[in-house]
Amino acid sequence: MRILPVQYNNKINFKSSIPANHDMRRIPDDTDNKNNEQQPKPLPEWARKAMLFTVIAITLKNEPVVQNLFHQDKQSEKDIARDEFFEDVQKIRKEKETSPAFYHLNRLYDIERPKIKALGNSNYSLEINLDKQKIQLVMHLDENNKDTITGKFRTGDNGNFIKYKAVFSPENKNEFKILLNDNGKKHILGRDFKGELYIVKNNKKEILNNSNVEKYENYLETLETLDDLKFFTNSNPLWRNLNYLLLIFLVYNEYCHDKARRKKDSEDKEV
């Protein structure tokens, strides 16, 4: 038997139903439809306009001129009483000498944050919350006697008023004497550099306002944080001007958007 060699044809042609110019890297399937469905839709025109007008309203509201315009006639009784109180406190300040009464009244307002009510003729009622009790203090400020404050006080809401006289000595700015008329007793009170109000009993200092001092210290820490971010507040004219530039850009961008939309609508109608 004779075995013949097998002949191989190296030129083998394959036919394909895929066009030669087809991109093999992209296989059509349902992904295209899914991607189209996932594309975010543009905002409706009413939403765009609402957002723009909201930015305009906020920018104008934060402008100090606009704020003063709306609030100049809306000062509360509390603010009026506070302003009158500080005007009279300013009158008992000494120009060349130490002003202990002026110092203590300012520290009293800063740390105790009393509720102030004006009674007329340089008389004021102050509600002060201390650690263990609430005090209602009525005082008369006399610019002719800057080292003495007279008035009456009571503890709680239903106690009887007791007349007092507070004597401030220029020799010791930190401490002052309280003289009571009902029993002739004399109390020595003072305030240290931290703002702690104390009363001297048996040669020992008893702190009366620990909670108020803690609140005051937290307030100062907040102010320091705000000072660090002061550039980004409405009190900074540069920051307000940057807001106006941003607003101008947004208005111009919206104008271009509307112009392009109107042009497209016009072309669609012609077609």
Side-chain angles (χ1 to χ4, degrees):
M1 182 178 65
R2 184 180 180 184
I3 300 175
L4 298 176
V6 179
Q7 301 292 330
Y8 290 94
N9 186 2
N10 293 331
K11 297 182 179 180
I12 303 176
N13 295 327
F14 294 92
K15 292 185 178 181
S16 173
S17 61
I18 302 176
N21 59 352
H22 182 75
D23 188 359
M24 294 295 295
R25 294 171 299 176
R26 190 171 184 272
I27 302 175
D29 54 13
D30 293 337
T31 307
D32 292 342
N33 296 331
K34 293 181 179 179
N35 289 337
N36 291 333
E37 293 177 357
Q38 294 177 357
Q39 289 295 329
K41 297 181 180 180
L43 283 175
E45 292 302 319
W46 65 265
R48 293 176 61 92
K49 296 296 188 293
M51 293 175 62
L52 179 61
F53 283 114
T54 300
V55 174
I56 293 175
I58 293 175
T59 303
L60 293 178
K61 179 181 177 297
N62 292 333
E63 177 62 35
V65 175
V66 177
Q67 291 179 350
N68 294 335
L69 182 64
F70 282 97
H71 294 89
Q72 60 183 357
D73 297 328
K74 295 183 179 180
Q75 192 177 25
S76 65
E77 293 183 3
K78 178 182 176 181
D79 294 333
I80 295 174
R82 180 197 60 198
D83 293 343
E84 292 181 2
F85 174 75
F86 279 109
E87 286 178 3
D88 284 332
V89 169
Q90 191 67 30
K91 294 177 183 178
I92 65 172
R93 181 177 185 176
K94 299 178 182 180
E95 296 181 359
K96 297 182 180 180
E97 303 176 46
T98 303
S99 300
F102 174 83
Y103 164 77
H104 280 282
L105 288 178
N106 277 280
R107 295 290 278 170
L108 174 70
Y109 181 82
D110 290 341
I111 299 174
E112 316 309 336
R113 291 294 179 180
K115 296 180 181 178
I116 302 175
K117 183 178 179 180
L119 304 178
N121 297 323
S122 299
N123 293 299
Y124 299 92
S125 174
L126 284 72
E127 290 186 7
I128 304 170
N129 291 315
L130 300 178
D131 291 338
K132 297 181 179 180
Q133 58 188 354
K134 181 175 73 173
I135 296 177
Q136 184 176 352
L137 185 68
V138 177
M139 64 173 59
H140 174 70
L141 303 179
D142 185 1
E143 61 179 314
N144 296 318
N145 191 356
K146 300 182 178 182
D147 291 326
T148 302
I149 295 176
T150 58
K152 57 184 180 179
F153 80 97
R154 68 178 181 181
T155 59
D157 296 323
N158 301 319
N160 296 323
F161 278 100
I162 300 174
K163 292 184 178 180
Y164 73 90
K165 180 169 67 172
V167 180
F168 301 85
S169 174
E171 298 177 357
N172 187 353
K173 184 182 71 172
N174 294 327
E175 293 187 352
F176 57 95
K177 298 178 182 178
I178 296 289
L179 307 178
L180 305 180
N181 289 350
D182 65 331
N183 52 20
K185 287 186 177 181
K186 177 180 69 174
H187 300 282
I188 298 178
L189 288 84
R191 195 182 294 271
D192 61 18
F193 69 98
K194 290 179 59 178
E196 293 177 336
L197 180 68
Y198 61 84
I199 184 171
V200 179
K201 291 183 177 180
N202 300 322
N203 295 324
K204 295 182 179 179
K205 296 179 180 179
E206 179 182 335
I207 306 299
L208 305 175
N209 66 339
N210 282 311
S211 59
N212 291 339
V213 171
E214 183 178 356
K215 292 178 182 178
Y216 181 67
E217 291 176 347
N218 293 335
Y219 168 74
L220 293 180
E221 291 179 0
T222 303
L223 284 183
E224 292 178 358
T225 303
L226 291 177
D227 287 340
D228 294 338
L229 301 174
K230 193 173 182 179
F231 178 85
F232 302 100
T233 62
N234 294 319
S235 60
N236 182 7
L238 178 58
W239 176 248
R240 294 200 306 272
N241 291 336
L242 290 176
N243 288 336
Y244 277 114
L245 290 176
L246 175 61
L247 181 59
I248 292 172
F249 170 77
L250 293 176
V251 171
Y252 177 75
N253 185 67
E254 189 66 18
Y255 165 77
C256 294
H257 169 77
D258 287 343
K259 185 177 180 180
R261 181 174 56 84
R262 288 193 297 268
K263 182 178 179 181
K264 183 177 181 302
D265 292 342
S266 177
E267 292 175 351
D268 292 341
K269 290 180 180 179
E270 292 178 358
V271 174

